[in-house]
Amino acid sequence: MKVLVIEDNPKLLEAIAETLVSEKYVCETALSYPEAHEKIFLYRYDILVVDINLPGGGSGLDIIRKIKAHEPSTGIIVISARNSLENKIEGLELGADDYLTKPFDMAELVARIKALLRRRNFMGSDKISMGNISIDTANREVWVDNNALELTRSEYDILLFFSSNPGRVLTRESIAEHIWGDNMDLADSFDFIYSHIKNLRKKITSKGATDPIKAVYGVGYKFETE
C-alpha cells in the first residue's frame, strides 16, 4: 500500500515516514503545498496523511478538494493541531475519512491507516479471498488453499495491489510506482516487474492454482480468479 504524508514539520514528517516504512508501506513525503500538489497529480496513492497548515500558497484542505476531484477513492487522514476543530470538521465534510490531533502516538496512526485500508479495500476485514488464494493483511501471509506461499516483500505487495483492483488492468508503470514510489524514476526499464510477476505466477501455480495474472498486451496485467 502506498501512502503520501504531507506535513510541514520536518522532524514529524521523518518520524511518520520511518514508522510507515517499518510497517512495510511505500511512503512518500511532501513538506509544502506545491510539492504535495505536484505529487497527487503525478502519482496514485492509497492513503494521504494530510496536515492542514502548509506553506507555499495552499492548505491541506485545498489538497483534499483536489484529490477528491482527481482520485476520489483515495483515503484521507487529517492531522492537525489541538485548536483546529473547524479545520477538522471542514476536512471531514470535504471527504476526509479520519483525523488525528497532534501530538499523537505513531502506533495510533498506523492503526488508523490499517483500519482505513480495511474499510476501503477489503470491506473491513483483514482476510481477503480470491478464488483459492487467501491473504491475511495483518500478518502479511498468503495461502493457496491450505498451502502457505513464501513471497518476497515485492511479490506480496504486487499481489495485494492486484487484490485491491480485481479485474482492473494495471499498467507496468503503476505497478512499478506502487513498489518503488519516488524511486521508480531510477529504473531504466521494467524488467524487474516482469521478473517479480513471473516468480509470483510460478509460486501460485506450484501450489495447484490456475495462474490468475493475465497479461494485457502492450498495457500491463489483470488479476482474475475463477
Side-chain angles (χ1 to χ4, degrees):
M1 294 289 119
K2 189 173 179 186
V3 182
L4 175 63
V5 182
I6 307 166
E7 164 62 53
D8 68 339
N9 182 316
K11 289 185 177 180
L12 178 57
L13 183 65
E14 182 180 3
I16 294 173
E18 288 180 352
T19 298
L20 296 184
V21 169
S22 72
E23 292 287 331
K24 312 299 184 186
Y25 293 107
V26 175
C27 183
E28 296 180 11
T29 60
L31 276 164
S32 66
Y33 174 80
E35 188 179 3
H37 185 271
E38 179 181 30
K39 287 191 171 184
I40 64 172
F41 285 101
L42 283 177
Y43 307 113
R44 182 173 176 268
Y45 300 96
D46 297 290
I47 287 183
L48 266 57
V49 178
V50 186
D51 186 14
I52 295 298
N53 298 312
L54 298 172
S59 71
L61 296 174
D62 296 321
I63 292 294
I64 295 171
R65 290 188 187 95
K66 292 183 182 298
I67 196 65
K68 283 302 175 183
H70 177 59
E71 287 284 355
S73 63
T74 303
I76 298 173
I77 297 176
V78 171
I79 54 176
S80 63
R82 191 175 301 278
N83 60 355
S84 301
L85 178 60
E86 289 185 6
N87 286 337
K88 291 176 192 173
I89 293 172
E90 186 174 357
L92 292 171
E93 289 177 343
L94 289 172
D97 300 277
D98 202 351
Y99 71 85
L100 275 173
T101 299
K102 299 179 186 178
F104 52 82
D105 191 280
M106 292 298 167
E108 182 176 4
L109 175 60
V110 170
R112 299 288 186 99
I113 289 174
K114 288 181 178 179
L116 179 51
L117 287 171
R118 288 196 299 269
R119 292 198 304 271
R120 285 193 160 265
N121 295 332
F122 310 125
M123 300 179 68
S125 176
D126 288 326
K127 307 292 193 300
I128 309 162
S129 294
M130 304 167 293
N132 55 351
I133 299 172
S134 301
I135 304 175
D136 180 343
T137 62
N139 298 305
R140 295 177 66 87
E141 295 175 344
V142 181
W143 296 271
V144 174
D145 293 325
N146 293 319
N147 301 307
L149 283 187
E150 297 295 331
L151 302 181
T152 67
R153 174 177 174 175
S154 294
E155 291 163 0
Y156 175 86
D157 288 343
I158 290 172
L159 180 61
L160 194 62
F161 191 35
F162 277 127
S163 71
S164 301
N165 297 275
R168 177 180 175 183
V169 177
L170 302 178
T171 65
R172 292 180 292 273
E173 292 84 354
S174 69
I175 296 170
E177 177 196 323
H178 188 74
I179 296 174
W180 276 18
D182 284 342
N183 295 321
M184 184 186 75
D185 296 336
L186 301 176
D188 53 9
S189 75
F190 291 110
D191 288 348
F192 72 100
I193 292 295
Y194 300 133
S195 177
H196 286 317
I197 289 182
K198 178 182 176 181
N199 291 337
L200 180 57
R201 282 170 152 167
K202 184 176 180 180
K203 289 179 180 181
I204 291 173
T205 56
S206 72
K207 300 298 183 181
T210 302
D211 181 7
I213 303 173
K214 314 301 181 186
V216 180
Y217 182 74
V219 182
Y221 301 91
K222 181 166 61 172
F223 193 90
E224 294 181 330
T225 55
E226 296 179 357

